[in-house]
Amino acid sequence: QVQLVESGGGLVQPGGSLRLSCAAAGSFFSINSMGWYRQAPGKQRESVARIVTGGSPNYVDSVKGRFTISRDIAKNTVYLQMNSLKPEDTAVYYCWAEVSLTASALPSVYWGRGTQVTVSL
């Protein structure tokens, strides 16, 4: 019913930048919030950033001042601009969206398949 398609990952040198995109497609009533998680090898998945409709974005401390999350409501798309990247940012980045399929339905969370970000010389 809802598909999230990520793009923009890749290999970048330390100090470089990448912009991730995630577009939601399918049939639904509204998207309440969107965000990004990441999972590095051997580590638990962690929330990187989230943005709620009508609210301020939230970030994990380790990316504050370097990453910016934004959303294009008309395009059902969320972006993650990542600047001053560090090797420890290397991970698979997963997009998520809290979606209401109908006006009366409780929201559900949907996930993208992930996009690899590698920060290395």
Side-chain angles (χ1 to χ4, degrees):
Q1 292 165 315
V2 179
Q3 299 83 39
L4 300 180
V5 180
E6 300 125 329
S7 62
L11 173 65
V12 64
Q13 293 185 351
S17 298
L18 283 174
R19 188 191 194 211
L20 305 183
S21 300
C22 172
S27 178
F28 50 87
F29 176 72
S30 67
I31 298 176
N32 307 319
S33 56
M34 301 184 80
W36 295 89
Y37 269 69
R38 67 185 178 185
Q39 187 165 21
K43 295 188 177 181
Q44 289 189 332
R45 190 177 293 194
E46 69 169 351
S47 177
V48 177
R50 63 178 292 165
I51 185 165
V52 179
T53 301
S56 299
N58 291 295
Y59 302 93
V60 67
D61 286 346
S62 59
V63 308
K64 287 180 180 178
R66 300 188 298 121
F67 289 11
T68 301
I69 188 171
S70 61
R71 186 176 157 192
D72 186 329
I73 294 177
K75 294 182 179 180
N76 295 318
T77 299
V78 64
Y79 305 95
L80 186 67
Q81 178 67 44
M82 305 184 293
N83 299 328
S84 301
L85 282 160
K86 304 175 180 180
E88 50 263 44
D89 294 318
T90 296
V92 178
Y93 284 71
Y94 298 90
C95 166
W96 62 268
E98 187 182 48
V99 179
S100 295
L101 296 181
T102 67
S104 59
L106 293 174
S108 298
V109 177
Y110 294 84
W111 291 87
R113 293 189 174 185
T115 184
Q116 177 69 46
V117 172
T118 303
V119 185
S120 179
L121 291 172

mmCIF file of all heavy atoms in Angstrom, residues 45-86:
data_model
loop_
_atom_site.group_PDB
_atom_site.id
_atom_site.type_symbol
_atom_site.label_atom_id
_atom_site.label_comp_id
_atom_site.label_asym_id
_atom_site.label_seq_id
_atom_site.Cartn_x
_atom_site.Cartn_y
_atom_site.Cartn_z
ATOM 1 N N ARG A 45 20.390 -0.256 15.335
ATOM 2 C CA ARG A 45 19.826 0.811 14.534
ATOM 3 C C ARG A 45 19.541 2.014 15.430
ATOM 4 O O ARG A 45 19.035 1.856 16.539
ATOM 5 C CB ARG A 45 18.545 0.325 13.862
ATOM 6 C CG ARG A 45 17.985 1.251 12.826
ATOM 7 C CD ARG A 45 16.748 0.669 12.148
ATOM 8 N NE ARG A 45 17.059 -0.497 11.330
ATOM 9 C CZ ARG A 45 16.218 -1.012 10.441
ATOM 10 N NH1 ARG A 45 15.025 -0.471 10.260
ATOM 11 N NH2 ARG A 45 16.556 -2.072 9.748
ATOM 12 N N GLU A 46 19.865 3.211 14.964
ATOM 13 C CA GLU A 46 19.619 4.416 15.755
ATOM 14 C C GLU A 46 18.876 5.457 14.929
ATOM 15 O O GLU A 46 19.052 5.549 13.707
ATOM 16 C CB GLU A 46 20.930 5.018 16.279
ATOM 17 C CG GLU A 46 21.831 5.616 15.223
ATOM 18 C CD GLU A 46 22.974 6.435 15.805
ATOM 19 O OE1 GLU A 46 22.994 6.699 17.033
ATOM 20 O OE2 GLU A 46 23.855 6.830 15.012
ATOM 21 N N SER A 47 18.061 6.223 15.620
ATOM 22 C CA SER A 47 17.340 7.303 14.968
ATOM 23 C C SER A 47 18.293 8.462 14.714
ATOM 24 O O SER A 47 18.983 8.910 15.614
ATOM 25 C CB SER A 47 16.176 7.762 15.844
ATOM 26 O OG SER A 47 15.519 8.857 15.253
ATOM 27 N N VAL A 48 18.324 8.940 13.492
ATOM 28 C CA VAL A 48 19.205 10.035 13.108
ATOM 29 C C VAL A 48 18.460 11.371 13.154
ATOM 30 O O VAL A 48 18.939 12.345 13.738
ATOM 31 C CB VAL A 48 19.771 9.804 11.701
ATOM 32 C CG1 VAL A 48 20.629 10.990 11.266
ATOM 33 C CG2 VAL A 48 20.564 8.507 11.643
ATOM 34 N N ALA A 49 17.315 11.417 12.521
ATOM 35 C CA ALA A 49 16.553 12.666 12.455
ATOM 36 C C ALA A 49 15.104 12.346 12.148
ATOM 37 O O ALA A 49 14.797 11.325 11.525
ATOM 38 C CB ALA A 49 17.122 13.593 11.377
ATOM 39 N N ARG A 50 14.222 13.235 12.600
ATOM 40 C CA ARG A 50 12.807 13.078 12.313
ATOM 41 C C ARG A 50 12.175 14.441 12.173
ATOM 42 O O ARG A 50 12.669 15.439 12.733
ATOM 43 C CB ARG A 50 12.097 12.281 13.403
ATOM 44 C CG ARG A 50 12.109 12.934 14.765
ATOM 45 C CD ARG A 50 11.335 12.093 15.767
ATOM 46 N NE ARG A 50 9.911 12.101 15.456
ATOM 47 C CZ ARG A 50 9.048 11.243 15.980
ATOM 48 N NH1 ARG A 50 9.449 10.303 16.806
ATOM 49 N NH2 ARG A 50 7.772 11.313 15.677
ATOM 50 N N ILE A 51 11.099 14.479 11.409
ATOM 51 C CA ILE A 51 10.378 15.732 11.241
ATOM 52 C C ILE A 51 8.891 15.430 11.242
ATOM 53 O O ILE A 51 8.418 14.553 10.512
ATOM 54 C CB ILE A 51 10.829 16.454 9.949
ATOM 55 C CG1 ILE A 51 10.174 17.826 9.830
ATOM 56 C CG2 ILE A 51 10.578 15.608 8.701
ATOM 57 C CD1 ILE A 51 10.854 18.725 8.795
ATOM 58 N N VAL A 52 8.176 16.134 12.095
ATOM 59 C CA VAL A 52 6.741 15.950 12.260
ATOM 60 C C VAL A 52 6.017 17.085 11.548
ATOM 61 O O VAL A 52 6.485 18.222 11.574
ATOM 62 C CB VAL A 52 6.358 15.947 13.751
ATOM 63 C CG1 VAL A 52 4.858 15.775 13.925
ATOM 64 C CG2 VAL A 52 7.105 14.848 14.485
ATOM 65 N N THR A 53 4.905 16.766 10.915
ATOM 66 C CA THR A 53 4.128 17.796 10.241
ATOM 67 C C THR A 53 3.791 18.918 11.216
ATOM 68 O O THR A 53 3.218 18.673 12.277
ATOM 69 C CB THR A 53 2.830 17.205 9.673
ATOM 70 O OG1 THR A 53 3.156 16.152 8.762
ATOM 71 C CG2 THR A 53 2.029 18.270 8.942
ATOM 72 N N GLY A 54 4.212 20.130 10.880
ATOM 73 C CA GLY A 54 3.940 21.280 11.722
ATOM 74 C C GLY A 54 4.854 21.428 12.912
ATOM 75 O O GLY A 54 4.671 22.333 13.739
ATOM 76 N N GLY A 55 5.865 20.560 13.028
ATOM 77 C CA GLY A 55 6.758 20.616 14.171
ATOM 78 C C GLY A 55 8.195 20.871 13.769
ATOM 79 O O GLY A 55 8.518 20.976 12.590
ATOM 80 N N SER A 56 9.051 20.972 14.773
ATOM 81 C CA SER A 56 10.474 21.205 14.535
ATOM 82 C C SER A 56 11.189 19.877 14.357
ATOM 83 O O SER A 56 10.803 18.878 14.945
ATOM 84 C CB SER A 56 11.084 21.966 15.710
ATOM 85 O OG SER A 56 10.467 23.221 15.869
ATOM 86 N N PRO A 57 12.243 19.862 13.581
ATOM 87 C CA PRO A 57 12.991 18.619 13.408
ATOM 88 C C PRO A 57 13.780 18.252 14.660
ATOM 89 O O PRO A 57 14.107 19.119 15.484
ATOM 90 C CB PRO A 57 13.930 18.930 12.237
ATOM 91 C CG PRO A 57 14.056 20.407 12.233
ATOM 92 C CD PRO A 57 12.764 20.944 12.736
ATOM 93 N N ASN A 58 14.044 16.960 14.815
ATOM 94 C CA ASN A 58 14.858 16.457 15.916
ATOM 95 C C ASN A 58 16.022 15.654 15.361
ATOM 96 O O ASN A 58 15.868 14.955 14.359
ATOM 97 C CB ASN A 58 14.024 15.569 16.839
ATOM 98 C CG ASN A 58 12.985 16.360 17.613
ATOM 99 O OD1 ASN A 58 13.311 17.203 18.429
ATOM 100 N ND2 ASN A 58 11.725 16.095 17.336
ATOM 101 N N TYR A 59 17.171 15.762 16.048
ATOM 102 C CA TYR A 59 18.374 15.075 15.596
ATOM 103 C C TYR A 59 19.037 14.348 16.752
ATOM 104 O O TYR A 59 18.984 14.797 17.900
ATOM 105 C CB TYR A 59 19.377 16.079 15.025
ATOM 106 C CG TYR A 59 18.863 16.904 13.876
ATOM 107 C CD1 TYR A 59 18.276 18.146 14.092
ATOM 108 C CD2 TYR A 59 18.964 16.438 12.569
ATOM 109 C CE1 TYR A 59 17.805 18.914 13.033
ATOM 110 C CE2 TYR A 59 18.498 17.195 11.507
ATOM 111 C CZ TYR A 59 17.916 18.425 11.747
ATOM 112 O OH TYR A 59 17.453 19.172 10.699
ATOM 113 N N VAL A 60 19.718 13.269 16.430
ATOM 114 C CA VAL A 60 20.592 12.650 17.415
ATOM 115 C C VAL A 60 21.780 13.595 17.626
ATOM 116 O O VAL A 60 22.195 14.307 16.699
ATOM 117 C CB VAL A 60 21.040 11.256 16.928
ATOM 118 C CG1 VAL A 60 21.939 11.344 15.718
ATOM 119 C CG2 VAL A 60 21.703 10.481 18.056
ATOM 120 N N ASP A 61 22.315 13.622 18.829
ATOM 121 C CA ASP A 61 23.368 14.587 19.158
ATOM 122 C C ASP A 61 24.561 14.509 18.208
ATOM 123 O O ASP A 61 25.169 15.531 17.872
ATOM 124 C CB ASP A 61 23.843 14.378 20.598
ATOM 125 C CG ASP A 61 22.835 14.877 21.623
ATOM 126 O OD1 ASP A 61 21.905 15.615 21.241
ATOM 127 O OD2 ASP A 61 22.980 14.529 22.806
ATOM 128 N N SER A 62 24.899 13.323 17.768
ATOM 129 C CA SER A 62 26.118 13.141 16.971
ATOM 130 C C SER A 62 26.053 13.795 15.589
ATOM 131 O O SER A 62 27.084 13.956 14.934
ATOM 132 C CB SER A 62 26.430 11.652 16.817
ATOM 133 O OG SER A 62 25.353 10.981 16.183
ATOM 134 N N VAL A 63 24.862 14.178 15.133
ATOM 135 C CA VAL A 63 24.747 14.790 13.798
ATOM 136 C C VAL A 63 24.282 16.239 13.854
ATOM 137 O O VAL A 63 24.202 16.898 12.810
ATOM 138 C CB VAL A 63 23.801 13.982 12.879
ATOM 139 C CG1 VAL A 63 24.196 12.514 12.860
ATOM 140 C CG2 VAL A 63 22.345 14.143 13.276
ATOM 141 N N LYS A 64 23.984 16.738 15.036
ATOM 142 C CA LYS A 64 23.523 18.128 15.153
ATOM 143 C C LYS A 64 24.566 19.085 14.605
ATOM 144 O O LYS A 64 25.751 18.970 14.885
ATOM 145 C CB LYS A 64 23.209 18.459 16.607
ATOM 146 C CG LYS A 64 21.938 17.827 17.119
ATOM 147 C CD LYS A 64 21.675 18.201 18.583
ATOM 148 C CE LYS A 64 20.381 17.560 19.075
ATOM 149 N NZ LYS A 64 20.134 17.861 20.516
ATOM 150 N N GLY A 65 24.100 20.032 13.797
ATOM 151 C CA GLY A 65 24.997 20.998 13.182
ATOM 152 C C GLY A 65 25.611 20.521 11.878
ATOM 153 O O GLY A 65 26.229 21.311 11.154
ATOM 154 N N ARG A 66 25.448 19.243 11.563
ATOM 155 C CA ARG A 66 26.008 18.705 10.323
ATOM 156 C C ARG A 66 24.926 18.199 9.369
ATOM 157 O O ARG A 66 25.078 18.308 8.152
ATOM 158 C CB ARG A 66 26.970 17.551 10.634
ATOM 159 C CG ARG A 66 28.145 17.934 11.503
ATOM 160 C CD ARG A 66 29.159 16.799 11.615
ATOM 161 N NE ARG A 66 28.603 15.600 12.243
ATOM 162 C CZ ARG A 66 28.551 14.411 11.659
ATOM 163 N NH1 ARG A 66 29.019 14.248 10.427
ATOM 164 N NH2 ARG A 66 28.048 13.374 12.300
ATOM 165 N N PHE A 67 23.863 17.628 9.919
ATOM 166 C CA PHE A 67 22.780 17.066 9.096
ATOM 167 C C PHE A 67 21.551 17.968 9.191
ATOM 168 O O PHE A 67 21.280 18.558 10.239
ATOM 169 C CB PHE A 67 22.390 15.684 9.584
ATOM 170 C CG PHE A 67 23.408 14.601 9.331
ATOM 171 C CD1 PHE A 67 24.697 14.893 8.912
ATOM 172 C CD2 PHE A 67 23.069 13.265 9.533
ATOM 173 C CE1 PHE A 67 25.630 13.888 8.696
ATOM 174 C CE2 PHE A 67 23.978 12.255 9.326
ATOM 175 C CZ PHE A 67 25.271 12.572 8.905
ATOM 176 N N THR A 68 20.819 18.040 8.095
ATOM 177 C CA THR A 68 19.568 18.791 8.073
ATOM 178 C C THR A 68 18.487 17.944 7.404
ATOM 179 O O THR A 68 18.669 17.484 6.274
ATOM 180 C CB THR A 68 19.718 20.108 7.299
ATOM 181 O OG1 THR A 68 20.741 20.903 7.904
ATOM 182 C CG2 THR A 68 18.409 20.892 7.320
ATOM 183 N N ILE A 69 17.382 17.757 8.113
ATOM 184 C CA ILE A 69 16.248 17.043 7.555
ATOM 185 C C ILE A 69 15.218 18.051 7.076
ATOM 186 O O ILE A 69 15.005 19.086 7.710
ATOM 187 C CB ILE A 69 15.632 16.066 8.585
ATOM 188 C CG1 ILE A 69 14.579 15.174 7.928
ATOM 189 C CG2 ILE A 69 15.048 16.809 9.779
ATOM 190 C CD1 ILE A 69 14.088 14.036 8.830
ATOM 191 N N SER A 70 14.630 17.764 5.938
ATOM 192 C CA SER A 70 13.585 18.637 5.411
ATOM 193 C C SER A 70 12.551 17.776 4.704
ATOM 194 O O SER A 70 12.789 16.598 4.423
ATOM 195 C CB SER A 70 14.163 19.687 4.456
ATOM 196 O OG SER A 70 14.792 19.061 3.350
ATOM 197 N N ARG A 71 11.425 18.387 4.426
ATOM 198 C CA ARG A 71 10.331 17.618 3.845
ATOM 199 C C ARG A 71 9.581 18.465 2.825
ATOM 200 O O ARG A 71 9.333 19.642 3.054
ATOM 201 C CB ARG A 71 9.390 17.178 4.968
ATOM 202 C CG ARG A 71 8.288 16.248 4.540
ATOM 203 C CD ARG A 71 7.494 15.817 5.757
ATOM 204 N NE ARG A 71 6.162 15.388 5.385
ATOM 205 C CZ ARG A 71 5.181 15.170 6.236
ATOM 206 N NH1 ARG A 71 5.383 15.354 7.532
ATOM 207 N NH2 ARG A 71 4.010 14.768 5.817
ATOM 208 N N ASP A 72 9.257 17.830 1.707
ATOM 209 C CA ASP A 72 8.389 18.441 0.695
ATOM 210 C C ASP A 72 7.042 17.729 0.792
ATOM 211 O O ASP A 72 6.903 16.606 0.305
ATOM 212 C CB ASP A 72 9.012 18.286 -0.698
ATOM 213 C CG ASP A 72 8.234 19.031 -1.761
ATOM 214 O OD1 ASP A 72 6.995 19.174 -1.629
ATOM 215 O OD2 ASP A 72 8.847 19.467 -2.745
ATOM 216 N N ILE A 73 6.099 18.366 1.462
ATOM 217 C CA ILE A 73 4.818 17.722 1.716
ATOM 218 C C ILE A 73 4.083 17.410 0.421
ATOM 219 O O ILE A 73 3.472 16.356 0.275
ATOM 220 C CB ILE A 73 3.960 18.596 2.652
ATOM 221 C CG1 ILE A 73 4.621 18.669 4.029
ATOM 222 C CG2 ILE A 73 2.542 18.054 2.753
ATOM 223 C CD1 ILE A 73 3.908 19.573 5.019
ATOM 224 N N ALA A 74 4.157 18.312 -0.534
ATOM 225 C CA ALA A 74 3.455 18.115 -1.801
ATOM 226 C C ALA A 74 3.978 16.906 -2.559
ATOM 227 O O ALA A 74 3.233 16.237 -3.280
ATOM 228 C CB ALA A 74 3.564 19.372 -2.656
ATOM 229 N N LYS A 75 5.261 16.625 -2.393
ATOM 230 C CA LYS A 75 5.886 15.495 -3.098
ATOM 231 C C LYS A 75 5.994 14.252 -2.218
ATOM 232 O O LYS A 75 6.546 13.243 -2.645
ATOM 233 C CB LYS A 75 7.280 15.895 -3.588
ATOM 234 C CG LYS A 75 7.275 16.983 -4.652
ATOM 235 C CD LYS A 75 8.683 17.285 -5.129
ATOM 236 C CE LYS A 75 8.688 18.345 -6.215
ATOM 237 N NZ LYS A 75 10.063 18.653 -6.682
ATOM 238 N N ASN A 76 5.496 14.331 -0.984
ATOM 239 C CA ASN A 76 5.591 13.201 -0.044
ATOM 240 C C ASN A 76 7.026 12.706 0.071
ATOM 241 O O ASN A 76 7.293 11.496 0.082
ATOM 242 C CB ASN A 76 4.669 12.054 -0.487
ATOM 243 C CG ASN A 76 3.216 12.430 -0.435
ATOM 244 O OD1 ASN A 76 2.766 13.079 0.521
ATOM 245 N ND2 ASN A 76 2.469 12.055 -1.465
ATOM 246 N N THR A 77 7.936 13.633 0.165
ATOM 247 C CA THR A 77 9.358 13.309 0.139
ATOM 248 C C THR A 77 10.063 13.946 1.334
ATOM 249 O O THR A 77 9.766 15.081 1.705
ATOM 250 C CB THR A 77 9.995 13.807 -1.162
ATOM 251 O OG1 THR A 77 9.356 13.146 -2.267
ATOM 252 C CG2 THR A 77 11.482 13.494 -1.206
ATOM 253 N N VAL A 78 10.996 13.184 1.897
ATOM 254 C CA VAL A 78 11.844 13.698 2.965
ATOM 255 C C VAL A 78 13.289 13.634 2.498
ATOM 256 O O VAL A 78 13.673 12.730 1.750
ATOM 257 C CB VAL A 78 11.646 12.896 4.276
ATOM 258 C CG1 VAL A 78 12.085 11.452 4.121
ATOM 259 C CG2 VAL A 78 12.351 13.571 5.438
ATOM 260 N N TYR A 79 14.068 14.619 2.920
ATOM 261 C CA TYR A 79 15.466 14.712 2.524
ATOM 262 C C TYR A 79 16.348 14.719 3.769
ATOM 263 O O TYR A 79 15.926 15.169 4.831
ATOM 264 C CB TYR A 79 15.717 15.990 1.728
ATOM 265 C CG TYR A 79 14.826 16.154 0.529
ATOM 266 C CD1 TYR A 79 13.644 16.896 0.610
ATOM 267 C CD2 TYR A 79 15.157 15.578 -0.690
ATOM 268 C CE1 TYR A 79 12.819 17.051 -0.482
ATOM 269 C CE2 TYR A 79 14.332 15.733 -1.798
ATOM 270 C CZ TYR A 79 13.167 16.461 -1.689
ATOM 271 O OH TYR A 79 12.361 16.604 -2.782
ATOM 272 N N LEU A 80 17.564 14.252 3.595
ATOM 273 C CA LEU A 80 18.560 14.369 4.658
ATOM 274 C C LEU A 80 19.841 14.895 4.015
ATOM 275 O O LEU A 80 20.514 14.173 3.277
ATOM 276 C CB LEU A 80 18.814 13.022 5.339
ATOM 277 C CG LEU A 80 19.734 13.082 6.551
ATOM 278 C CD1 LEU A 80 19.058 13.871 7.695
ATOM 279 C CD2 LEU A 80 20.108 11.684 7.033
ATOM 280 N N GLN A 81 20.115 16.158 4.271
ATOM 281 C CA GLN A 81 21.360 16.768 3.797
ATOM 282 C C GLN A 81 22.433 16.494 4.831
ATOM 283 O O GLN A 81 22.297 16.901 5.990
ATOM 284 C CB GLN A 81 21.171 18.274 3.590
ATOM 285 C CG GLN A 81 22.425 18.992 3.154
ATOM 286 C CD GLN A 81 22.887 18.591 1.773
ATOM 287 O OE1 GLN A 81 22.087 18.489 0.853
ATOM 288 N NE2 GLN A 81 24.192 18.364 1.627
ATOM 289 N N MET A 82 23.482 15.821 4.410
ATOM 290 C CA MET A 82 24.544 15.423 5.325
ATOM 291 C C MET A 82 25.839 16.128 4.916
ATOM 292 O O MET A 82 26.346 15.888 3.814
ATOM 293 C CB MET A 82 24.728 13.909 5.300
ATOM 294 C CG MET A 82 23.447 13.136 5.593
ATOM 295 S SD MET A 82 23.697 11.354 5.688
ATOM 296 C CE MET A 82 24.133 10.998 3.987
ATOM 297 N N ASN A 83 26.329 16.984 5.794
ATOM 298 C CA ASN A 83 27.563 17.724 5.542
ATOM 299 C C ASN A 83 28.625 17.311 6.556
ATOM 300 O O ASN A 83 28.321 16.718 7.590
ATOM 301 C CB ASN A 83 27.313 19.225 5.639
ATOM 302 C CG ASN A 83 26.308 19.721 4.617
ATOM 303 O OD1 ASN A 83 26.215 19.191 3.508
ATOM 304 N ND2 ASN A 83 25.553 20.751 4.974
ATOM 305 N N SER A 84 29.861 17.656 6.260
ATOM 306 C CA SER A 84 30.985 17.356 7.163
ATOM 307 C C SER A 84 30.950 15.900 7.605
ATOM 308 O O SER A 84 31.075 15.595 8.796
ATOM 309 C CB SER A 84 30.941 18.291 8.380
ATOM 310 O OG SER A 84 31.005 19.637 7.977
ATOM 311 N N LEU A 85 30.787 15.023 6.652
ATOM 312 C CA LEU A 85 30.644 13.610 6.974
ATOM 313 C C LEU A 85 31.912 13.040 7.586
ATOM 314 O O LEU A 85 33.034 13.438 7.230
ATOM 315 C CB LEU A 85 30.253 12.828 5.725
ATOM 316 C CG LEU A 85 28.770 12.958 5.346
ATOM 317 C CD1 LEU A 85 28.542 12.587 3.898
ATOM 318 C CD2 LEU A 85 27.914 12.114 6.275
ATOM 319 N N LYS A 86 31.713 12.111 8.506
ATOM 320 C CA LYS A 86 32.804 11.456 9.218
ATOM 321 C C LYS A 86 32.746 9.945 8.959
ATOM 322 O O LYS A 86 31.667 9.413 8.656
ATOM 323 C CB LYS A 86 32.663 11.714 10.721
ATOM 324 C CG LYS A 86 32.594 13.173 11.113
ATOM 325 C CD LYS A 86 32.335 13.317 12.602
ATOM 326 C CE LYS A 86 32.251 14.777 13.022
ATOM 327 N NZ LYS A 86 31.999 14.926 14.482
#
